[in-house]
Amino acid sequence: MEDKAQIQEAIKIQGEVVRKLKSEKASKEQIDEEVAKLLELKAQLGDDGKTQFVLKTPKGTRDYNPKQMAIREKVFNTIIRCFKRHGAETIDTPVFELKETLTGKYGEDSKLIYDLKDQGGELLSLRYDLTVPFARYLAMNKITNIKRYHIAKVYRRDNPAMTRGRYREFYQCDFDIAGQYDAMIPDAECLKIVHEILNELDLGDFRIKVNDRRILDGMFAVCGVPDDKFRTICSTVDKLDKMSWEDVKKEMVNEKGLSEEAADQIGEYVSMQGGMDLAERLLQDHKMSQSKQACAGLSDIKLLFKYLQLFHVTDKVVFDLSLARGLDYYTGVIYEAVLTQAGTVSAANEAQNDTNAEESVSVGSVAGGGRYDGLVGMFDPKGRRVPCVGVSIGIERIFSIMEQKAEASPEKVRTTEVQIMVASAQKNLLEERLQLISELWNAGIKAELMYKKNPKLLSQLQYCEEAGIPLVAILGEQELKDGVVKLRVVATREEVDISRADLISEIKRRTEA
Amino acid sequence: MEDKAQIQEAIKIQGEVVRKLKSEKASKEQIDEEVAKLLELKAQLGDDGKTQFVLKTPKGTRDYNPKQMAIREKVFNTIIRCFKRHGAETIDTPVFELKETLTGKYGEDSKLIYDLKDQGGELLSLRYDLTVPFARYLAMNKITNIKRYHIAKVYRRDNPAMTRGRYREFYQCDFDIAGQYDAMIPDAECLKIVHEILNELDLGDFRIKVNDRRILDGMFAVCGVPDDKFRTICSTVDKLDKMSWEDVKKEMVNEKGLSEEAADQIGEYVSMQGGMDLAERLLQDHKMSQSKQACAGLSDIKLLFKYLQLFHVTDKVVFDLSLARGLDYYTGVIYEAVLTQAGTVSAANEAQNDTNAEESVSVGSVAGGGRYDGLVGMFDPKGRRVPCVGVSIGIERIFSIMEQKAEASPEKVRTTEVQIMVASAQKNLLEERLQLISELWNAGIKAELMYKKNPKLLSQLQYCEEAGIPLVAILGEQELKDGVVKLRVVATREEVDISRADLISEIKRRTEA
């Protein structure tokens, strides 16, 4: 399709060339030559260039069809129900921000920001994530505590890998707690939320890795990494879920100029995984214990595990020193949920080519987040800090998995919730159908009729089968005379006469699930 | 704020001037002069220019705070419930389209389209409405019948009037039926939907005006309007809800060169309002009856009224020959719902300055639509027609009205649905609170706790009052010993001990509404 767009563009330009020559009364020879080029381009299109434009969505984007929307709605409902259960409010922000609001927040990835054309007025960019607009919102409204979720589309001029669920326009689904609170209580709630959502969505077994930026920084310090290399070495550690330790070490030593000894020491630490016990052991570790930062992080990990035990979720949580996460702005605990089952092969393939640390940090990553206590202060004129901790649900990957599951399931995805079709068995009963369906709508019943004066009964019944409508109210002359409606159950073909007076309660009784 | 942005921009430029002079080792005099200008600009900002950027949303846009979101959610739920009751599916399309997809669809208003910056690749524009993307979707997927709704934001570089609810980023809320069906059946359903939604939202009394583009065209023909002036005269007629007949006539005669006689004849027709009877009378009208087009339209209006009678909605519907609607693409029946009550004064004021025919066609317009049988064919390479009829709910105006109502109401808008707060009466009970709240969350109960180790009971109770949380589960040492929880009703301050085993069912019993 991309090629077709290029040809279309070439046709447009060539068309202008021809028009210009004609208007300039150029020689017939010259005109003919350019017209020939134009025809050749049109021939390449295959349809004689009759199409005025290419019928497609922009690169890296897609329409959602009704079936995809039905799945999307189901996933959103599960997630929103969880956020609401935890008392979250919701906000919304514009799809674009002042360009300068986004400047300096995304490091190298800034090149992926979509800018709007300068049509006079402010310079604007499409939002790149929901976290920076959230921080801008807090600073602008001087809000110091809030628990909010925000589900909306964000935009990245990334290399799309659409078959693997990666788009230039995609949803983010964020839950954050802002405010000065006692240590690890909101952090533990974020992990409880991830646990609840992944359980409820039934995506298969999962694991939630946790670590702390202060532990990583302390570890780098005691291993002899120079201060100014913390962030870049951290980025390299972050690749451990996609690269072997050997390759990571090579990058540290060869590309980033770390000593082999320091790299080996890091290598020892980042291979460690465990629970509260590991945190306790590292607090005793003769090297790690030299870093105040690391000790603060380790104590918080211990506290976090204590709270997670009370939430009964420690079975899925692992303290993993190799977890680093891509974004610069994390300042404390970080975490990431991964699906551990087979069946996430496609996700694994994707991760291989992935350069986007935030969206698909590891094989089957479906949620991630952490504490970022400094971001809001970047927006506040007086630099006031608003500590924040949050989690982002990897909703696009979850959509893909749910779509694959729906595809594999024998059960059909219904795209409407229609309970009953109002049908007629004979001709000339449109008015009676309209009257009846109006009664049903007014009673809150989801009902459809065919937009034909005299539809065949068979085609009405077939429509119900296809659309999964469970009931049919059939009107015929006899039924009208008797003051009844023939109620047909589509699945069993059972039919029973119901009096008009009882119809609504009978439909409700039969369709309440 | 807009001024502030301009000053910021000027400061930036002036800063560059100074830097350039310094780097060029310009004279001290020259540099001092430019520095003085810079300081003056910074002084205008009032905060010594310390702010690195202006904390604002782009012009014509806004954030939605939790309270606005709660109202928005309520309105959306009502509307979506109605669309689903009528068996509609939903789709979604990208926020931007290929620029050429939008080209040639909006006439003069094309200048209001937001373009994206050319960063290499395709030329893109933000969607201007949901109808053109819908038509593109149908043509691209060769869909010949669908009943769908689409609720999403659209973008127009219009002059914002935000205090009056007009934005550059705003929601549209469209329901459309595409397909070749028998006359007026889907059209009547669209009007039934408008009736249901406006009733259910309880916005006060309303009227739905209907007309037909074929009646307008036929009327123009029999009044002697030249063929090539139909559309422009139609646009002038469309202004009748904002301008007096005298002014409309002046525009027709002086600006558009219509004969006075023709204008007067049009004036006679467009003053007519009625019901099915008026359609019948006009079918007998010696002039109107000469136009085949007008007769086709009038017969359909008659049929429409017949169906609307069966739906019991004719009390709100009026056949109004002055209704013209702005958009070019309508081909048959058109309609528009207006609020007729006082209290829509602000909306009336807005209409005075309104140049945007689609969004606020008349005083208090809250819905509009019509039949557009040609639009999909514009996208189909073979020009295949897919007849469509649809309605757009003026959701932004409805938000404004609902917000005003909420503002005026003594009842507080709740921004969360939390049923219970888990509180403690003594110190050192955080772990017990965490354990209990986890049980409640797992049972599907919406619960919050304060993120403090030792919050005061009073501040916990105050929080409930402010947030409208109806119940508190209070833990104390005595309660823990007795295996009970003290359940407090916030409104009445009544307290009762409930055994841990009964707690969940008791909360559910007390909070189910």
Side-chain angles (χ1 to χ4, degrees):
Chain A
M1 288 301 260
E2 186 64 13
D3 288 344
K4 210 172 167 186
Q6 283 166 4
I7 298 170
Q8 294 276 10
E9 191 56 31
I11 288 174
K12 238 191 261 170
I13 293 164
Q14 187 61 23
E16 273 159 32
V17 169
V18 171
R19 267 188 297 283
K20 192 160 174 281
L21 287 176
K22 282 182 181 171
S23 76
E24 290 168 1
K25 312 251 181 243
S27 73
K28 191 181 172 299
E29 234 175 52
Q30 214 181 339
I31 293 177
D32 283 352
E33 193 185 324
E34 297 300 326
V35 167
K37 282 187 200 159
L38 179 62
L39 291 175
E40 199 182 315
L41 281 167
K42 286 188 175 178
Q44 282 179 40
L45 265 188
D47 56 3
D48 304 320
K50 264 178 209 150
T51 326
Q52 281 302 306
F53 32 71
V54 188
L55 269 180
K56 69 183 285 289
T57 61
K59 185 179 175 186
T61 69
R62 59 167 167 176
D63 297 316
Y64 284 80
N65 65 33
K67 202 169 147 187
Q68 292 166 322
M69 288 297 279
I71 293 166
R72 176 174 125 176
E73 191 176 306
K74 210 181 132 217
V75 174
F76 278 161
N77 283 346
T78 301
I79 292 171
I80 292 172
R81 217 182 308 122
C82 176
F83 291 160
K84 287 191 172 180
R85 196 158 58 231
H86 287 262
E89 305 176 302
T90 186
I91 66 161
D92 197 14
T93 63
V95 81
F96 42 64
E97 295 276 346
L98 297 185
K99 189 176 163 58
E100 59 189 8
T101 299
L102 306 191
T103 302
K105 306 299 183 305
Y106 302 108
E108 277 181 23
D109 287 344
S110 294
K111 65 180 186 297
L112 303 181
I113 294 174
Y114 275 99
D115 292 329
L116 270 75
K117 190 169 154 184
D118 183 0
Q119 294 169 293
E122 302 159 333
L123 293 180
L124 307 174
S125 300
L126 295 187
R127 63 183 164 210
Y128 185 83
D129 66 7
L130 302 178
T131 309
V132 167
F134 176 54
R136 192 265 305 147
Y137 174 80
L138 294 187
M140 178 173 142
N141 296 288
K142 299 190 171 45
I143 294 166
T144 54
N145 47 293
I146 189 172
K147 178 161 56 181
R148 82 90 181 78
Y149 69 89
H150 189 186
I151 299 179
K153 287 176 180 172
V154 302
Y155 299 87
R156 300 184 184 180
R157 293 179 54 256
D158 214 335
N159 222 8
M162 295 190 289
T163 50
R164 289 167 284 152
R166 224 179 59 206
Y167 293 88
R168 290 181 157 196
E169 173 185 59
F170 59 95
Y171 271 99
Q172 281 199 337
C173 183
D174 285 14
F175 172 95
D176 295 82
I177 301 173
Q180 186 67 61
Y181 299 120
D182 282 332
M184 292 299 114
I185 313 177
D187 312 58
E189 184 168 4
C190 287
L191 293 179
K192 171 79 169 113
I193 282 173
V194 173
H195 194 272
E196 285 179 24
I197 288 172
L198 295 183
N199 254 333
E200 216 176 318
L201 288 175
D202 199 21
L203 300 170
D205 203 15
F206 59 90
R207 198 139 322 290
I208 307 174
K209 305 183 210 168
V210 303
N211 197 5
D212 193 297
R213 273 288 167 87
R214 293 165 298 171
I215 299 175
L216 283 165
D217 286 351
M219 174 182 87
F220 294 145
V222 302
C223 292
V225 178
D227 280 15
D228 61 346
K229 286 197 173 145
F230 278 17
R231 283 282 75 79
T232 182
I233 293 299
C234 191
S235 300
T236 306
V237 169
D238 189 43
K239 296 178 183 165
L240 269 173
D241 49 6
K242 301 162 218 160
M243 281 161 54
S244 68
W245 165 248
E246 283 67 38
D247 290 337
V248 165
K249 185 182 161 184
K250 245 184 246 166
E251 187 176 311
M252 285 180 177
V253 176
N254 299 345
E255 289 177 37
K256 312 221 160 152
L258 201 66
S259 74
E260 187 130 354
E261 197 198 343
D264 283 338
Q265 287 184 22
I266 292 171
E268 233 167 85
Y269 282 119
V270 296
S271 68
M272 293 177 181
Q273 290 194 351
M276 197 194 268
D277 52 314
L278 176 57
E280 271 160 1
R281 224 170 58 228
L282 286 170
L283 274 170
Q284 310 303 325
D285 183 273
H286 74 283
K287 271 174 53 182
M288 207 58 132
S289 59
Q290 289 165 21
S291 160
K292 265 194 191 169
Q293 268 210 78
C295 290
L298 289 164
S299 301
D300 274 351
I301 289 281
K302 268 182 68 184
L303 193 57
L304 178 67
F305 266 91
K306 188 167 105 183
Y307 296 157
L308 295 178
Q309 272 166 5
L310 296 166
F311 288 161
H312 297 287
V313 296
T314 41
D315 57 319
K316 304 288 187 194
V317 182
V318 56
F319 172 32
D320 183 331
L321 273 93
S322 74
L323 178 69
R325 298 212 33 94
L327 288 175
D328 275 5
Y329 55 59
Y330 290 119
T331 55
V333 65
I334 48 178
Y335 34 81
E336 190 171 295
V338 293
L339 299 182
T340 53
Q341 277 191 325
T344 55
V345 182
S346 65
N349 284 340
E350 174 176 356
Q352 297 295 325
N353 302 311
D354 201 339
T355 56
N356 185 325
E358 185 59 9
E359 247 35 61
S360 42
V361 186
S362 94
V363 177
S365 164
V366 286
R371 177 162 284 282
Y372 52 102
D373 289 349
L375 189 63
V376 179
M378 287 176 70
F379 286 99
D380 191 283
K382 298 196 175 123
R384 274 170 297 224
R385 277 162 60 94
V386 178
C388 293
V389 64
V391 62
S392 187
I393 307 296
I395 190 80
E396 294 287 344
R397 179 157 298 171
I398 293 172
F399 286 155
S400 295
I401 297 169
M402 298 299 271
E403 276 182 53
Q404 281 168 31
K405 273 174 84 169
E407 219 50 63
S409 156
E411 230 175 292
K412 237 170 126 175
V413 177
R414 281 200 69 185
T415 56
T416 76
E417 299 167 11
V418 174
Q419 297 162 298
I420 193 161
M421 152 149 280
V422 175
S424 53
Q426 287 119 9
K427 288 198 168 185
N428 300 319
L429 293 173
L430 173 61
E431 297 187 20
E432 288 73 10
R433 282 191 289 139
L434 290 175
Q435 214 154 13
L436 176 58
I437 202 166
S438 180
E439 282 170 35
L440 299 183
W441 286 331
N442 291 346
I445 287 174
K446 294 166 194 147
E448 272 195 288
L449 52 66
M450 293 192 82
Y451 300 125
K452 298 272 173 191
K453 272 192 276 191
N454 298 307
K456 290 194 185 110
L457 183 58
L458 189 64
S459 53
Q460 295 173 86
L461 296 178
Q462 272 172 347
Y463 178 85
C464 292
E465 299 256 9
E466 282 158 25
I469 301 173
L471 297 173
V472 196
I474 305 175
L475 288 173
E477 270 148 34
Q478 192 57 47
E479 285 80 12
L480 286 165
K481 224 174 278 171
D482 297 346
V484 299
V485 165
K486 201 178 282 303
L487 197 65
R488 180 184 168 111
V489 180
V490 176
T492 63
R493 300 180 181 192
E494 165 209 351
E495 291 186 347
V496 55
D497 282 353
I498 308 283
S499 81
R500 288 290 282 253
D502 297 336
L503 183 62
I504 285 163
S505 58
E506 184 64 22
I507 296 168
K508 286 188 177 168
R509 196 183 63 75
R510 284 171 181 260
T511 53
E512 72 196 6
Chain B
M1 287 303 260
E2 184 63 14
D3 288 343
K4 209 171 166 186
Q6 282 166 5
I7 298 171
Q8 294 276 12
E9 191 55 30
I11 288 175
K12 236 189 261 171
I13 294 165
Q14 188 60 23
E16 274 160 30
V17 168
V18 171
R19 269 187 297 281
K20 194 162 173 281
L21 287 176
K22 284 182 180 172
S23 77
E24 291 168 0
K25 312 251 184 240
S27 72
K28 190 179 175 301
E29 235 176 48
Q30 216 182 337
I31 292 176
D32 283 352
E33 193 186 324
E34 296 302 325
V35 166
K37 281 187 202 161
L38 180 61
L39 291 175
E40 202 184 313
L41 280 167
K42 285 187 174 179
Q44 283 178 41
L45 264 189
D47 56 4
D48 305 320
K50 264 179 208 149
T51 325
Q52 280 303 307
F53 33 70
V54 189
L55 269 180
K56 68 182 286 288
T57 60
K59 184 179 176 188
T61 69
R62 58 167 167 175
D63 297 316
Y64 283 81
N65 65 33
K67 202 169 146 188
Q68 292 166 322
M69 289 297 279
I71 293 167
R72 176 174 125 177
E73 191 176 307
K74 209 181 133 217
V75 174
F76 278 160
N77 282 346
T78 302
I79 292 172
I80 291 171
R81 217 183 309 123
C82 177
F83 291 160
K84 287 191 171 178
R85 196 159 57 231
H86 288 261
E89 304 177 303
T90 186
I91 67 161
D92 197 13
T93 63
V95 80
F96 42 64
E97 293 277 346
L98 296 186
K99 188 174 163 59
E100 59 189 7
T101 299
L102 307 191
T103 301
K105 305 301 184 305
Y106 303 107
E108 277 182 21
D109 288 345
S110 295
K111 63 180 186 298
L112 303 180
I113 294 174
Y114 276 98
D115 291 329
L116 270 76
K117 190 168 153 184
D118 182 0
Q119 295 169 292
E122 301 159 332
L123 292 180
L124 307 174
S125 301
L126 296 187
R127 63 184 162 209
Y128 185 82
D129 67 8
L130 302 177
T131 309
V132 166
F134 176 54
R136 191 266 305 148
Y137 174 81
L138 295 187
M140 179 173 140
N141 296 288
K142 299 191 173 46
I143 294 166
T144 54
N145 46 293
I146 189 172
K147 179 160 56 181
R148 82 90 180 79
Y149 69 91
H150 189 187
I151 299 181
K153 286 176 180 172
V154 301
Y155 299 87
R156 300 184 184 181
R157 293 179 53 256
D158 215 335
N159 221 9
M162 293 190 288
T163 50
R164 289 169 282 152
R166 226 178 59 205
Y167 293 88
R168 289 181 159 198
E169 173 185 60
F170 60 95
Y171 270 99
Q172 282 199 337
C173 183
D174 285 13
F175 172 95
D176 295 83
I177 301 171
Q180 186 69 60
Y181 299 121
D182 282 332
M184 292 299 115
I185 313 177
D187 313 59
E189 184 168 4
C190 287
L191 293 179
K192 172 79 169 113
I193 282 173
V194 173
H195 194 273
E196 284 179 25
I197 288 172
L198 295 182
N199 255 334
E200 216 177 318
L201 288 175
D202 199 20
L203 300 170
D205 204 16
F206 60 90
R207 201 139 316 295
I208 307 173
K209 303 183 212 170
V210 302
N211 197 6
D212 193 296
R213 274 288 167 86
R214 291 166 298 172
I215 299 175
L216 283 165
D217 285 352
M219 176 182 86
F220 293 145
V222 301
C223 292
V225 178
D227 280 15
D228 61 344
K229 287 196 172 145
F230 279 17
R231 284 281 77 79
T232 182
I233 294 298
C234 190
S235 300
T236 309
V237 168
D238 188 45
K239 296 177 183 167
L240 268 174
D241 49 6
K242 300 164 218 158
M243 279 161 55
S244 68
W245 165 248
E246 283 67 37
D247 290 338
V248 165
K249 186 183 161 184
K250 246 183 245 165
E251 187 175 312
M252 286 179 178
V253 175
N254 300 344
E255 289 178 37
K256 311 222 161 152
L258 202 64
S259 74
E260 187 130 351
E261 198 198 341
D264 283 336
Q265 286 184 23
I266 291 171
E268 233 168 84
Y269 282 120
V270 296
S271 69
M272 292 177 182
Q273 290 194 350
M276 197 194 268
D277 52 315
L278 175 59
E280 270 161 2
R281 225 169 57 230
L282 286 169
L283 274 169
Q284 310 303 326
D285 183 273
H286 74 282
K287 271 173 55 183
M288 207 60 131
S289 59
Q290 288 165 21
S291 160
K292 263 195 192 169
Q293 268 209 78
C295 290
L298 289 164
S299 302
D300 273 352
I301 289 281
K302 269 182 67 182
L303 193 58
L304 178 66
F305 267 91
K306 189 167 103 183
Y307 296 157
L308 295 178
Q309 273 165 6
L310 297 166
F311 287 161
H312 296 287
V313 297
T314 42
D315 57 320
K316 305 287 189 197
V317 182
V318 55
F319 171 32
D320 183 332
L321 274 93
S322 74
L323 178 70
R325 301 219 20 100
L327 288 176
D328 275 5
Y329 54 59
Y330 290 119
T331 54
V333 66
I334 49 179
Y335 34 80
E336 189 171 295
V338 292
L339 299 182
T340 53
Q341 276 191 327
T344 56
V345 183
S346 67
N349 285 339
E350 175 176 353
Q352 298 294 326
N353 303 311
D354 202 340
T355 56
N356 185 325
E358 185 59 8
E359 248 34 63
S360 43
V361 185
S362 95
V363 178
S365 165
V366 286
R371 178 162 283 284
Y372 51 102
D373 290 349
L375 190 62
V376 179
M378 287 176 70
F379 286 99
D380 191 282
K382 297 195 176 124
R384 273 169 297 223
R385 277 161 60 94
V386 179
C388 293
V389 63
V391 63
S392 187
I393 307 296
I395 190 80
E396 294 288 343
R397 179 157 299 168
I398 292 171
F399 287 154
S400 296
I401 297 169
M402 300 299 271
E403 277 182 52
Q404 282 168 32
K405 274 174 84 168
E407 220 50 63
S409 156
E411 231 175 291
K412 237 168 127 176
V413 177
R414 282 199 68 184
T415 56
T416 76
E417 299 166 12
V418 174
Q419 297 162 299
I420 192 161
M421 152 149 280
V422 174
S424 53
Q426 287 120 6
K427 287 197 167 188
N428 300 320
L429 293 173
L430 172 61
E431 296 186 22
E432 287 74 11
R433 282 191 289 137
L434 290 175
Q435 213 153 15
L436 176 58
I437 202 167
S438 180
E439 282 169 35
L440 299 184
W441 286 331
N442 291 346
I445 288 174
K446 294 165 193 147
E448 273 194 287
L449 51 69
M450 292 192 84
Y451 300 125
K452 298 271 174 194
K453 272 191 276 192
N454 297 310
K456 290 190 183 116
L457 183 58
L458 191 64
S459 54
Q460 295 173 86
L461 296 178
Q462 271 171 348
Y463 180 84
C464 291
E465 298 255 11
E466 282 158 26
I469 300 172
L471 296 173
V472 196
I474 305 175
L475 288 174
E477 270 149 33
Q478 192 57 48
E479 284 81 12
L480 286 165
K481 224 173 277 169
D482 299 346
V484 299
V485 165
K486 201 178 281 305
L487 197 64
R488 179 182 169 112
V489 179
V490 176
T492 63
R493 301 178 179 193
E494 166 210 349
E495 290 186 347
V496 55
D497 282 353
I498 307 284
S499 81
R500 289 290 282 255
D502 296 336
L503 183 63
I504 284 163
S505 59
E506 183 65 21
I507 296 168
K508 286 188 178 169
R509 196 183 63 74
R510 284 172 182 261
T511 54
E512 72 194 6

